[in-house]
């Protein structure tokens, strides 16, 4: 069974949904009010979740920083944020862009960053070729960790080949239908943070937005039919990933406090309880690309 105390320390609360309609199953039409965001974050802290994942593009850094500075007295909060895509920035201006992006985030939060990631994996080429300079900039701003948020194996292999000693945080999409990173032997200098456990809500919500292709919508219905026939709770199924021991952190996004309460009361199954079902579910989605949100349309 899962060690609950250790389990909570491994959780990073994703915040993309606080000020946006992020997620294929998020039907929230209005942004959270400041009061609602404060209540949400306060509930997280009271339940011993002290790590939060944000980004400049989530439009919530200021309100998160305001909450921390007004409400948190003694607790140590760990914040991860991300540098926006540099793909359209001229090469000669990229270092300046990195500097200014981090400064904007620090000013928004008015609080120290624990980790800064590069949000667009296409920026990895530039970052790796200028890694020492970028690393020194980030260390100079007293940010503990540097890393990347990636989708594709080729970028993971590129980073692994280039960075042999420096500690890196690597966010990877791992869930019950996306196992391409699961069988990897991670270098000791990599802290693996697992994201997309619910795949933007696709794997745990029967009702989704009609923005996907018809093929993907049909497969989603087939998936939930399988769960219903076998009386499987989709959340418990997705949490099978927590039994994997090589991962440093797990990033979970919740739409509201009720979802957190539901999550805390879930029965975390024993290791390999869902193994046979996961293999069958992967056959449902075989060669569909549904595990990659960039290919949903």
């Amino acid at each position: 069974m899962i060690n609950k105390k250790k389990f909570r320390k491994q959780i990073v609360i994703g915040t993309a949904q606080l000020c946006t309609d992020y997620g294929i199953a998020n039907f929230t039409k209005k942004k959270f009010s400041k009061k609602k965001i404060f209540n949400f974050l306060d509930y997280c802290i009271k339940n011993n979740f002290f790590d939060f994942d944000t980004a400049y593009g989530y439009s919530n850094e200021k309100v998160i920083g305001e909450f921390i500075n007004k409400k948190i007295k003694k607790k140590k909060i760990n914040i991860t944020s991300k540098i926006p895509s540099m793909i359209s920035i001229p090469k000669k201006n990229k270092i300046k862009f990195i500097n200014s992006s981090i400064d904007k985030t620090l000013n928004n939060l008015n609080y120290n960053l624990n980790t800064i990631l590069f949000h667009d994996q296409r920026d990895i080429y530039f970052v790796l070729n200028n890694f020492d300079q970028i690393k020194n900039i980030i260390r100079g701003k007293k940010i503990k960790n540097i890393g990347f948020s990636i989708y594709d194996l080729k970028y993971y292999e590129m980073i692994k080949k280039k960075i042999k000693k420096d500690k890196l945080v690597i966010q990877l999409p791992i869930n019950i239908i996306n196992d391409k990173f699961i069988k990897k032997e991670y270098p000791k200098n990599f802290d693996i943070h697992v994201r997309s456990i619910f795949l933007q809500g696709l794997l745990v919500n029967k009702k989704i937005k009609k923005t996907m292709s018809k093929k993907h919508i049909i497969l989603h219905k087939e998936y939930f039919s399988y769960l219903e026939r076998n009386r499987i709770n989709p959340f418990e199924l997705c949490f099978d990933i927590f039994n994997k021991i090589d991962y440093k952190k797990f990033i979970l996004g919740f739409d509201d406090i009720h979802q957190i309460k539901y999550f805390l009361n879930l029965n975390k199954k024993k290791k390999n309880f869902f193994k046979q079902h996961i293999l069958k579910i992967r056959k449902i989605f075989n060669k569909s690309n549904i595990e990659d949100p960039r290919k949903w349309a």
Side-chain angles (χ1 to χ4, degrees):
M1 296 295 285
I2 291 172
N3 183 316
K4 290 185 177 180
K5 186 175 180 180
K6 180 183 178 182
F7 174 66
R8 293 205 187 195
K9 288 183 178 180
Q10 288 181 286
I11 300 301
V12 179
I13 301 296
T15 64
Q17 75 287 354
L18 294 185
C19 291
T20 69
D21 63 350
Y22 175 83
I24 194 69
N26 185 351
F27 292 92
T28 304
K29 295 182 179 180
K30 295 181 179 180
K31 295 180 180 179
F32 277 29
S33 66
K34 182 189 291 188
K35 180 179 179 180
K36 191 172 182 180
I37 292 174
F38 272 36
N39 288 340
F40 177 88
L41 296 174
D42 187 57
Y43 187 82
C44 291
I45 298 298
K46 287 179 179 177
N47 282 277
N48 298 313
F49 297 120
F50 302 121
D51 288 21
F52 297 89
D53 178 88
T54 184
Y56 182 81
Y58 297 170
S59 302
N60 61 28
E61 288 177 335
K62 283 188 177 181
V63 69
I64 291 174
E66 188 176 342
F67 169 80
I68 293 173
N69 286 287
K70 282 188 176 181
K71 300 292 184 178
I72 305 299
K73 301 295 183 182
K74 298 179 180 179
K75 299 291 185 182
K76 173 62 176 176
I77 307 300
N78 295 313
I79 303 291
T80 294
S81 193
K82 308 176 192 77
I83 295 171
S85 174
M86 300 190 293
I87 203 67
S88 62
I89 306 297
K91 186 176 180 179
K92 64 180 181 179
N93 295 331
K94 289 184 187 291
I95 293 295
K96 183 178 179 180
F97 179 82
I98 292 170
N99 245 317
S100 62
S101 294
I102 297 174
D103 286 342
K104 286 178 182 177
T105 288
L106 291 172
N107 288 333
N108 284 338
L109 290 169
N110 193 24
Y111 189 78
N112 292 333
L113 270 176
N114 183 264
T115 302
I116 191 74
L117 305 178
F118 287 89
H119 212 169
D120 189 335
Q121 63 181 12
R122 295 173 297 176
D123 292 326
I124 289 173
Y125 295 104
F126 178 82
V127 175
L128 292 181
N129 287 330
N130 298 273
F131 187 74
D132 287 338
Q133 183 181 2
I134 294 170
K135 179 181 68 174
N136 289 335
I137 290 170
I138 290 171
R139 295 289 187 263
K141 297 179 187 296
K142 299 181 180 180
I143 300 172
K144 183 179 179 182
N145 301 312
I146 179 175
F148 305 92
S149 178
I150 62 177
Y151 278 96
D152 300 320
L153 274 171
K154 70 174 184 178
Y155 291 103
Y156 170 82
E157 296 296 344
M158 192 185 307
I159 297 166
K160 183 179 176 182
K161 183 178 180 180
K162 185 77 172 181
I163 308 297
K164 299 291 188 179
K165 296 181 180 180
D166 293 283
K167 181 182 176 182
L168 293 177
V169 170
I170 309 291
Q171 279 193 6
L172 300 176
I174 298 176
N175 50 59
I176 59 169
I177 64 172
N178 187 355
D179 66 341
K180 61 185 177 184
F181 290 107
I182 287 179
K183 298 177 182 179
K184 294 293 176 183
E185 290 187 12
Y186 305 115
K188 291 182 180 180
N189 60 314
F190 282 17
D191 280 350
I192 302 300
H193 291 198
V194 177
R195 71 167 195 277
S196 300
I197 295 167
F198 303 145
L199 198 54
Q200 293 192 22
L202 179 79
L203 295 174
V204 292
N205 290 281
K206 191 172 183 178
K207 183 181 178 182
I208 59 173
K209 298 173 184 175
K210 296 180 179 180
T211 54
M212 305 185 78
S213 68
K214 185 176 180 180
K215 175 185 177 181
H216 287 152
I217 290 174
I218 292 172
L219 291 175
H220 178 260
K221 289 181 179 179
E222 187 177 342
Y223 163 68
F224 266 90
S225 293
Y226 180 90
L227 297 186
E228 289 169 0
R229 288 196 306 271
N230 291 277
R231 298 181 181 180
I232 296 173
N233 181 311
F235 282 93
E236 292 180 358
L237 177 69
C238 287
F239 288 143
D240 181 73
I241 202 70
F242 290 114
N243 288 310
K244 307 296 186 283
I245 61 174
D246 291 329
Y247 308 130
K248 182 80 172 181
K249 297 284 184 179
F250 299 90
I251 302 160
L252 297 180
F254 299 102
D255 294 339
D256 52 43
I257 289 173
H258 296 293
Q259 287 188 355
I260 302 177
K261 289 180 179 178
Y262 179 75
F263 162 73
L264 291 173
N265 289 323
L266 275 175
N267 179 25
K268 313 299 187 301
K269 299 293 185 181
K270 292 181 179 180
K271 188 174 183 180
N272 295 326
F273 184 88
F274 289 114
K275 185 175 181 179
Q276 62 176 332
H277 294 295
I278 290 174
L279 293 174
K280 292 179 181 179
I281 288 167
R282 285 177 182 161
K283 289 183 179 179
I284 293 174
F285 294 116
N286 186 35
K287 297 180 180 179
S288 69
N289 292 324
I290 201 171
E291 78 279 0
D292 190 342
R294 299 170 299 174
K295 300 176 181 178
W296 283 352

